[in-house]
Amino acid sequence: MFPRSPVFPHKHGHVITPGILPHTSQQQRTETHLTLNDTNLHGQPLNVFPVIPIYQWKAVPEFSRTNPNGSKKCNSFRRKSDGNTQHDLKRQRFGSSHPYGPPAKTGTYSPVPQGRSGGFVREIRSPTRSPMHPPVSSKPACSVPLLKAESSQNSLPSHVIKDKLSQQILDLFHTCEQQSEDLEKKEFCRAQLQIDIQRLFPCARIFLAGSSLNGFGSRTSDADLCLVVQEGPINQKTDAVYILSLVQKLLYKTSYIERPQLIRAKVPILKFKDRVSGVEFDLNVNNTVGLRNTFLLRTYAYLEKRVRPIILVIKKWASHHRINDASRGTLSSYTLVLMVLHYLQTLPDPVIPCLQKDYPECFNPVMDIHLVPEGPKNIPPFVSKNQSSLGDLLLGFLKYYATVFRWDKYIISVREAKALPKANCWEWRSKFLYVEEPFDGSNTARAVHEKIKFDAIKAVFAESWQVLQERKDLNCILPIRETIPKR
């Protein structure tokens, strides 16, 4: 699928120049480009889950613009702001270079001169099913709603919105949830970025991930992108930083990207803004665990109709109280989502099941990336015995983390659907909060490393629970009017 074990050229004194493939003729470069365009990243629209919406992108033949005189011009480095009107938004359709299509079948790429000790060698192979990737077992399936069904929560049972607080939660969700046109803007930029970045790495692919796809995004959510350059992991401290620095130089030359900024974190990212849509993007390299958890969370999001409204409102609540910013030592949005899912799993009558225990073959951590969206497609609908309203679930969530959960004794685990005892080692016991990443077991709450920040988080949970329990009005913990996005 993707190349194996590259040795990045900067370690050998060789620098990749955007658009130039060392030691290849112009004809070879043209043939390689044509082969990639013909065979790579042009898969069919996603058919993802039985109870989870699929994508209905309509393909366009190419990204081009037409001059007033009728002649076409390439826009790889230029995009007009044609998405500013409602009419133009309706005309935007894209399916070319779809990130979750099958990989290319032929073609190789090596920008390193022959005879050197290493190189950034790319080999594209036909997808095959190996013993490590067994076919997903067949399970009863049901009809798949279209993308437009993502924004529909009108079929919630009456007992779920029986009170004022529950109705406030649902109304705020409807107002703030990501719309299909928001996702289209992000996907349009992703597809254009892939075309431009393939000038540097012709076999690379860019995936949209995070809240944009997992069902928990809002109209103001940033977009996460993952640049995949090889099949296995890469060194995030050196190789990822080097690749992102090359991409940063490339993006400086484009007219539709502004402010590309390289952030050297544990997983380095390149932050930038799309001038056309105004969307902020975070681009990482080969952080493929983010792709896997995107589709795990997406399955949870659409498996039970109460999950999306309660999580979006909790994210808004945490942002309002300034405990939803990992860069400032508090909780990331991903950590918050896992905390809510864990609570919903551990109720006496669970609202959601444990997908990784019930369907391990659908979330195989070594499954090929291009098969990840297909993994959960045969998971049947889940019918919960829990009849709690949205308001009851919000109150229960706040109470659970304010008074029940023992932060010093246990780990929050969605993978096991229970609180796991902390191991008797300093690495785990020294953490104020440990939320297990469902695929690699790392601590998604590692940013909370100061006691003063941890105490502030606990205080917000406790105070919000006490106030909401007394007043049963969402405005008392989250001013609704201030939360609604201004557009």
Side-chain angles (χ1 to χ4, degrees):
M1 183 178 69
F2 296 110
R4 296 178 180 273
S5 304
V7 179
F8 290 93
H10 70 288
K11 295 182 178 180
H12 301 281
H14 181 73
V15 178
I16 299 175
T17 303
I20 297 178
L21 310 183
H23 287 254
T24 58
S25 66
Q26 179 63 39
Q27 181 180 359
Q28 289 173 324
R29 292 197 295 270
T30 302
E31 289 175 352
T32 301
H33 181 70
L34 290 176
T35 300
L36 286 164
N37 284 343
D38 290 339
T39 62
N40 197 20
L41 315 171
H42 290 270
Q44 297 297 318
L46 288 181
N47 295 311
V48 187
F49 311 113
V51 293
I52 291 96
I54 60 174
Y55 304 101
Q56 297 293 323
W57 308 128
K58 294 182 180 179
V60 294
E62 62 182 9
F63 287 90
S64 62
R65 297 285 184 262
T66 303
N67 287 328
N69 59 12
S71 63
K72 290 184 179 180
K73 68 176 182 177
C74 175
N75 78 320
S76 290
F77 284 84
R78 184 175 300 172
R79 268 176 63 201
K80 293 182 181 178
S81 297
D82 56 354
N84 294 333
T85 68
Q86 183 177 3
H87 175 69
D88 288 329
L89 277 175
K90 290 181 179 179
R91 290 191 291 107
Q92 290 181 7
R93 294 292 184 269
F94 33 80
S96 60
S97 303
H98 201 286
Y100 294 105
K105 296 179 180 179
T106 60
T108 58
Y109 166 52
S110 176
V112 179
Q114 298 295 325
R116 299 191 73 94
S117 59
F120 203 41
V121 180
R122 309 197 172 285
E123 182 178 333
I124 306 301
R125 300 173 286 107
S126 299
T128 58
R129 290 192 182 274
S130 67
M132 292 180 65
H133 311 130
V136 177
S137 61
S138 176
K139 292 184 182 297
C142 63
S143 60
V144 182
L146 300 176
L147 178 62
K148 63 184 178 182
E150 282 193 23
S151 60
S152 176
Q153 293 283 340
N154 296 327
S155 58
L156 280 171
S158 58
H159 68 268
V160 171
I161 48 174
K162 62 184 179 182
D163 51 72
K164 174 185 175 181
L165 177 58
S166 299
Q167 190 63 56
Q168 287 176 320
I169 294 171
L170 185 61
D171 290 344
L172 184 58
F173 167 72
H174 282 315
T175 304
C176 296
E177 66 171 325
Q178 178 178 261
Q179 303 296 317
S180 58
E181 58 263 31
D182 301 323
L183 182 57
E184 286 181 357
K185 293 176 184 179
K186 298 173 182 179
E187 167 62 15
F188 190 72
C189 185
R190 182 212 64 81
Q192 183 63 58
L193 279 168
Q194 181 163 273
I195 292 174
D196 290 337
I197 290 177
Q198 282 181 344
R199 294 170 176 266
L200 282 174
F201 309 113
C203 297
R205 304 169 73 192
I206 298 181
F207 296 79
L208 192 61
S211 63
S212 298
L213 282 189
N214 65 22
F216 302 124
S218 68
R219 303 217 66 182
T220 57
S221 294
D222 296 344
D224 295 320
L225 296 173
C226 178
L227 172 62
V228 179
V229 297
Q230 72 167 53
E231 189 172 322
I234 66 170
N235 189 312
Q236 292 289 329
K237 290 184 178 179
T238 56
D239 296 333
V241 170
Y242 175 70
I243 293 172
L244 290 177
S245 67
L246 292 180
V247 175
Q248 182 182 31
K249 292 176 183 177
L250 176 68
L251 295 187
Y252 272 125
K253 299 179 182 180
T254 66
S255 62
Y256 65 94
I257 295 297
E258 64 179 33
R259 304 196 309 267
Q261 180 185 6
L262 180 58
I263 308 296
R264 298 171 183 262
K266 181 176 181 179
V267 177
I269 59 173
L270 186 64
K271 298 180 72 72
F272 53 87
K273 182 178 181 180
D274 176 19
R275 294 179 187 271
V276 178
S277 64
V279 175
E280 299 275 355
F281 286 86
D282 291 344
L283 175 70
N284 66 70
V285 180
N286 268 70
N287 185 32
T288 54
V289 69
L291 304 179
R292 300 183 191 281
N293 64 49
T294 291
F295 284 91
L296 173 66
L297 266 55
R298 182 175 172 83
T299 312
Y300 279 120
Y302 293 100
L303 207 58
E304 222 289 342
K305 291 182 179 293
R306 288 170 287 182
V307 175
R308 293 180 65 219
I310 197 70
I311 285 183
L312 189 143
V313 169
I314 286 172
K315 287 171 65 176
K316 293 292 185 182
W317 161 80
S319 295
H320 173 72
H321 290 277
R322 299 182 180 181
I323 59 170
N324 182 206
D325 188 348
S327 68
R328 297 181 181 274
T330 57
L331 305 169
S332 67
S333 293
Y334 181 41
T335 295
L336 272 170
V337 172
L338 293 177
M339 290 172 66
V340 181
L341 295 179
H342 166 78
Y343 163 70
L344 297 177
Q345 288 176 325
T346 55
L347 289 168
D349 286 324
V351 175
I352 54 175
C354 181
L355 290 174
Q356 287 170 287
K357 291 178 70 174
D358 294 345
Y359 306 96
E361 72 281 4
C362 297
F363 302 99
N364 189 334
V366 297
M367 182 186 295
D368 288 345
I369 288 299
H370 74 279
L371 298 177
V372 167
E374 292 288 327
K377 70 178 182 179
N378 290 322
I379 294 178
F382 177 77
V383 180
S384 173
K385 296 179 181 179
N386 189 302
Q387 300 294 304
S388 299
S389 67
L390 292 174
D392 291 338
L393 291 177
L394 177 57
L395 274 167
F397 167 78
L398 295 173
K399 179 181 179 180
Y400 178 70
Y401 288 109
T403 66
V404 178
F405 185 77
R406 293 289 305 273
W407 305 87
D408 58 331
K409 299 288 186 181
Y410 293 101
I411 293 170
I412 295 169
S413 175
V414 170
R415 177 181 57 87
E416 293 286 341
K418 61 183 179 181
L420 301 176
K422 285 188 177 181
N424 190 22
C425 65
W426 172 251
E427 180 183 0
W428 286 32
R429 290 193 174 276
S430 63
K431 306 298 182 184
F432 296 111
L433 172 60
Y434 203 109
V435 180
E436 180 193 55
E437 208 292 321
F439 287 96
D440 66 17
S442 62
N443 182 13
T444 68
R446 58 183 174 272
V448 186
H449 56 82
E450 297 180 10
K451 189 175 187 303
I452 188 172
K453 297 290 181 67
F454 177 59
D455 290 340
I457 292 170
K458 291 193 297 181
V460 169
F461 272 93
E463 182 180 354
S464 294
W465 171 58
Q466 292 171 357
V467 172
L468 189 62
Q469 182 181 230
E470 179 180 344
R471 301 184 185 179
K472 302 294 193 302
D473 185 345
L474 187 60
N475 280 291
C476 69
I477 63 169
L478 176 62
I480 296 176
R481 190 176 296 274
E482 296 177 16
T483 306
I484 295 174
K486 298 176 177 59
R487 287 184 175 267

